Amino acid sequence: MKIINTIEELQTIRKELKGTIGFVPTMGALHEGHISLIKNARINNDIVIVSIFLNPTQFLPNEDLDKYPKKDAADKRICELCKVDYLFMPDVNSMYQSNDEISIKAPKITGFILEGEKRPGHFDGVLQVVLKLFNLVQPSNAYFGKKDAQQLSLISQMVKNLFLPINIVECDIIREADGLAMSSRNIYLSAEERKEALAISKSLNMTIIAVTKGERDAQTIKTKMKEIMSNLDVEYIAIVNRNFEEIQTIEVKNTIILIACKVGDTRLIDNMWI
């Protein structure tokens, strides 16, 4: 595995690469969720490139940029074990060259609901850095987890709207043995908070059981989910179709149920695709 730290080196290497390129963009602190993306890329591409870049433009002023977990040595080892070909680890000054850059704006509707409403400007930063990385890596396939469902939808829309020749590969959520969705922020949870957080996946699992038994009313399902998560600080429960339009009736194979909540001081998101 070769580690690349500069834009210029990546561009030089990229010109020489042949075959399909699988790309996994990350912010580091890699876990089994990231590993599943890398493994998918390894199986289906000639070359695998992973990036680790803690992107400041997607964090709001009061968020956890400064304390976001950094595990560079462990991340490098994980990438080596997963047989990554190139690991791109640029610094902030390389990725953002001025304070007056051309910016990318999230869509006016789907970019400003749910996570976009709770974290205004977040998706602008996400789309900006992903577009930069896409332009540098020029991947054949790019791998993203379904856990960040709204992000995944917006990146797919950006690829479509800007005519980028990239296939976006949606990858299933990877969970801990107890059901908690893998997240770099899980390390913030105390032992007691970790137990409390299990109400999130429990509420989502309940929706599968309810739908299997024939329940289709979105409000009924939301009410039951709130009961299960009554001890958590729930920011939102949303039931939408794949276009992120709110729906009142569950549509099998076209529904996403999303949750955002705080467990202690830690903000977690999770979802279920039905």
PDB file of all heavy atoms in Angstrom, residues 203-213 257 272-274:
ATOM      1  N   SER A 203     -36.151   0.130  18.355  1.00  0.00           N
ATOM      2  CA  SER A 203     -37.323   0.769  17.748  1.00  0.00           C
ATOM      3  C   SER A 203     -37.389   0.493  16.251  1.00  0.00           C
ATOM      4  O   SER A 203     -38.473   0.295  15.693  1.00  0.00           O
ATOM      5  CB  SER A 203     -37.302   2.273  18.015  1.00  0.00           C
ATOM      6  OG  SER A 203     -36.318   2.930  17.249  1.00  0.00           O
ATOM      7  N   LEU A 204     -36.238   0.463  15.611  1.00  0.00           N
ATOM      8  CA  LEU A 204     -36.217   0.184  14.172  1.00  0.00           C
ATOM      9  C   LEU A 204     -36.584  -1.269  13.883  1.00  0.00           C
ATOM     10  O   LEU A 204     -37.305  -1.559  12.921  1.00  0.00           O
ATOM     11  CB  LEU A 204     -34.838   0.511  13.593  1.00  0.00           C
ATOM     12  CG  LEU A 204     -34.492   2.009  13.521  1.00  0.00           C
ATOM     13  CD1 LEU A 204     -33.020   2.205  13.205  1.00  0.00           C
ATOM     14  CD2 LEU A 204     -35.353   2.705  12.483  1.00  0.00           C
ATOM     15  N   ASN A 205     -36.094  -2.172  14.715  1.00  0.00           N
ATOM     16  CA  ASN A 205     -36.450  -3.581  14.532  1.00  0.00           C
ATOM     17  C   ASN A 205     -37.948  -3.797  14.715  1.00  0.00           C
ATOM     18  O   ASN A 205     -38.558  -4.639  14.051  1.00  0.00           O
ATOM     19  CB  ASN A 205     -35.663  -4.454  15.507  1.00  0.00           C
ATOM     20  CG  ASN A 205     -34.197  -4.540  15.146  1.00  0.00           C
ATOM     21  OD1 ASN A 205     -33.835  -4.392  13.984  1.00  0.00           O
ATOM     22  ND2 ASN A 205     -33.349  -4.766  16.131  1.00  0.00           N
ATOM     23  N   MET A 206     -38.519  -3.026  15.628  1.00  0.00           N
ATOM     24  CA  MET A 206     -39.966  -3.102  15.833  1.00  0.00           C
ATOM     25  C   MET A 206     -40.723  -2.764  14.561  1.00  0.00           C
ATOM     26  O   MET A 206     -41.760  -3.364  14.257  1.00  0.00           O
ATOM     27  CB  MET A 206     -40.382  -2.152  16.965  1.00  0.00           C
ATOM     28  CG  MET A 206     -41.886  -2.092  17.244  1.00  0.00           C
ATOM     29  SD  MET A 206     -42.790  -0.949  16.129  1.00  0.00           S
ATOM     30  CE  MET A 206     -42.016   0.606  16.513  1.00  0.00           C
ATOM     31  N   THR A 207     -40.193  -1.798  13.779  1.00  0.00           N
ATOM     32  CA  THR A 207     -40.902  -1.398  12.555  1.00  0.00           C
ATOM     33  C   THR A 207     -40.958  -2.549  11.553  1.00  0.00           C
ATOM     34  O   THR A 207     -41.967  -2.725  10.867  1.00  0.00           O
ATOM     35  CB  THR A 207     -40.229  -0.181  11.892  1.00  0.00           C
ATOM     36  OG1 THR A 207     -38.941  -0.535  11.377  1.00  0.00           O
ATOM     37  CG2 THR A 207     -40.079   0.963  12.872  1.00  0.00           C
ATOM     38  N   ILE A 208     -39.908  -3.330  11.487  1.00  0.00           N
ATOM     39  CA  ILE A 208     -39.896  -4.470  10.572  1.00  0.00           C
ATOM     40  C   ILE A 208     -40.961  -5.480  10.977  1.00  0.00           C
ATOM     41  O   ILE A 208     -41.702  -6.006  10.140  1.00  0.00           O
ATOM     42  CB  ILE A 208     -38.506  -5.139  10.555  1.00  0.00           C
ATOM     43  CG1 ILE A 208     -37.465  -4.203   9.937  1.00  0.00           C
ATOM     44  CG2 ILE A 208     -38.541  -6.453   9.796  1.00  0.00           C
ATOM     45  CD1 ILE A 208     -37.692  -3.910   8.469  1.00  0.00           C
ATOM     46  N   ILE A 209     -41.043  -5.751  12.270  1.00  0.00           N
ATOM     47  CA  ILE A 209     -42.049  -6.686  12.767  1.00  0.00           C
ATOM     48  C   ILE A 209     -43.447  -6.164  12.477  1.00  0.00           C
ATOM     49  O   ILE A 209     -44.328  -6.906  12.013  1.00  0.00           O
ATOM     50  CB  ILE A 209     -41.855  -6.922  14.277  1.00  0.00           C
ATOM     51  CG1 ILE A 209     -40.496  -7.605  14.530  1.00  0.00           C
ATOM     52  CG2 ILE A 209     -42.988  -7.773  14.849  1.00  0.00           C
ATOM     53  CD1 ILE A 209     -40.119  -7.675  15.992  1.00  0.00           C
ATOM     54  N   ALA A 210     -43.650  -4.864  12.737  1.00  0.00           N
ATOM     55  CA  ALA A 210     -44.974  -4.270  12.523  1.00  0.00           C
ATOM     56  C   ALA A 210     -45.374  -4.309  11.048  1.00  0.00           C
ATOM     57  O   ALA A 210     -46.513  -4.677  10.714  1.00  0.00           O
ATOM     58  CB  ALA A 210     -44.987  -2.831  13.033  1.00  0.00           C
ATOM     59  N   VAL A 211     -44.434  -3.968  10.175  1.00  0.00           N
ATOM     60  CA  VAL A 211     -44.738  -3.979   8.737  1.00  0.00           C
ATOM     61  C   VAL A 211     -44.997  -5.403   8.258  1.00  0.00           C
ATOM     62  O   VAL A 211     -45.895  -5.650   7.443  1.00  0.00           O
ATOM     63  CB  VAL A 211     -43.589  -3.324   7.939  1.00  0.00           C
ATOM     64  CG1 VAL A 211     -43.779  -3.538   6.441  1.00  0.00           C
ATOM     65  CG2 VAL A 211     -43.519  -1.825   8.245  1.00  0.00           C
ATOM     66  N   THR A 212     -44.219  -6.352   8.772  1.00  0.00           N
ATOM     67  CA  THR A 212     -44.418  -7.754   8.394  1.00  0.00           C
ATOM     68  C   THR A 212     -45.815  -8.235   8.791  1.00  0.00           C
ATOM     69  O   THR A 212     -46.436  -9.041   8.082  1.00  0.00           O
ATOM     70  CB  THR A 212     -43.360  -8.643   9.086  1.00  0.00           C
ATOM     71  OG1 THR A 212     -42.058  -8.222   8.663  1.00  0.00           O
ATOM     72  CG2 THR A 212     -43.556 -10.105   8.718  1.00  0.00           C
ATOM     73  N   LYS A 213     -46.312  -7.697   9.900  1.00  0.00           N
ATOM     74  CA  LYS A 213     -47.653  -8.070  10.359  1.00  0.00           C
ATOM     75  C   LYS A 213     -48.756  -7.268   9.668  1.00  0.00           C
ATOM     76  O   LYS A 213     -49.939  -7.461   9.970  1.00  0.00           O
ATOM     77  CB  LYS A 213     -47.748  -7.889  11.867  1.00  0.00           C
ATOM     78  CG  LYS A 213     -46.895  -8.887  12.656  1.00  0.00           C
ATOM     79  CD  LYS A 213     -47.047  -8.681  14.154  1.00  0.00           C
ATOM     80  CE  LYS A 213     -46.255  -9.722  14.943  1.00  0.00           C
ATOM     81  NZ  LYS A 213     -46.373  -9.512  16.409  1.00  0.00           N
ATOM     82  N   ILE A 257     -36.949   4.770   7.198  1.00  0.00           N
ATOM     83  CA  ILE A 257     -37.313   5.321   8.498  1.00  0.00           C
ATOM     84  C   ILE A 257     -36.032   5.798   9.168  1.00  0.00           C
ATOM     85  O   ILE A 257     -35.094   5.024   9.351  1.00  0.00           O
ATOM     86  CB  ILE A 257     -38.029   4.274   9.367  1.00  0.00           C
ATOM     87  CG1 ILE A 257     -39.290   3.771   8.638  1.00  0.00           C
ATOM     88  CG2 ILE A 257     -38.391   4.851  10.721  1.00  0.00           C
ATOM     89  CD1 ILE A 257     -40.030   2.677   9.364  1.00  0.00           C
ATOM     90  N   MET A 272     -33.666   2.562   8.910  1.00  0.00           N
ATOM     91  CA  MET A 272     -34.060   1.247   8.395  1.00  0.00           C
ATOM     92  C   MET A 272     -34.666   1.443   7.014  1.00  0.00           C
ATOM     93  O   MET A 272     -35.545   2.273   6.826  1.00  0.00           O
ATOM     94  CB  MET A 272     -35.082   0.605   9.330  1.00  0.00           C
ATOM     95  CG  MET A 272     -35.521  -0.805   8.911  1.00  0.00           C
ATOM     96  SD  MET A 272     -34.189  -2.014   9.153  1.00  0.00           S
ATOM     97  CE  MET A 272     -34.174  -2.148  10.930  1.00  0.00           C
ATOM     98  N   TRP A 273     -34.163   0.685   6.051  1.00  0.00           N
ATOM     99  CA  TRP A 273     -34.699   0.718   4.683  1.00  0.00           C
ATOM    100  C   TRP A 273     -35.699  -0.412   4.564  1.00  0.00           C
ATOM    101  O   TRP A 273     -35.374  -1.577   4.794  1.00  0.00           O
ATOM    102  CB  TRP A 273     -33.581   0.543   3.660  1.00  0.00           C
ATOM    103  CG  TRP A 273     -32.566   1.661   3.663  1.00  0.00           C
ATOM    104  CD1 TRP A 273     -31.868   2.136   4.749  1.00  0.00           C
ATOM    105  CD2 TRP A 273     -32.103   2.408   2.542  1.00  0.00           C
ATOM    106  NE1 TRP A 273     -31.020   3.140   4.378  1.00  0.00           N
ATOM    107  CE2 TRP A 273     -31.139   3.337   3.033  1.00  0.00           C
ATOM    108  CE3 TRP A 273     -32.417   2.402   1.197  1.00  0.00           C
ATOM    109  CZ2 TRP A 273     -30.483   4.242   2.194  1.00  0.00           C
ATOM    110  CZ3 TRP A 273     -31.753   3.310   0.351  1.00  0.00           C
ATOM    111  CH2 TRP A 273     -30.807   4.208   0.854  1.00  0.00           C
ATOM    112  N   ILE A 274     -36.941  -0.064   4.219  1.00  0.00           N
ATOM    113  CA  ILE A 274     -37.996  -1.070   4.149  1.00  0.00           C
ATOM    114  C   ILE A 274     -38.460  -1.207   2.698  1.00  0.00           C
ATOM    115  O   ILE A 274     -38.683  -0.226   2.012  1.00  0.00           O
ATOM    116  CB  ILE A 274     -39.189  -0.666   5.048  1.00  0.00           C
ATOM    117  CG1 ILE A 274     -38.726  -0.692   6.508  1.00  0.00           C
ATOM    118  CG2 ILE A 274     -40.376  -1.589   4.844  1.00  0.00           C
ATOM    119  CD1 ILE A 274     -39.774  -0.242   7.493  1.00  0.00           C
TER     120      ILE A 274
END
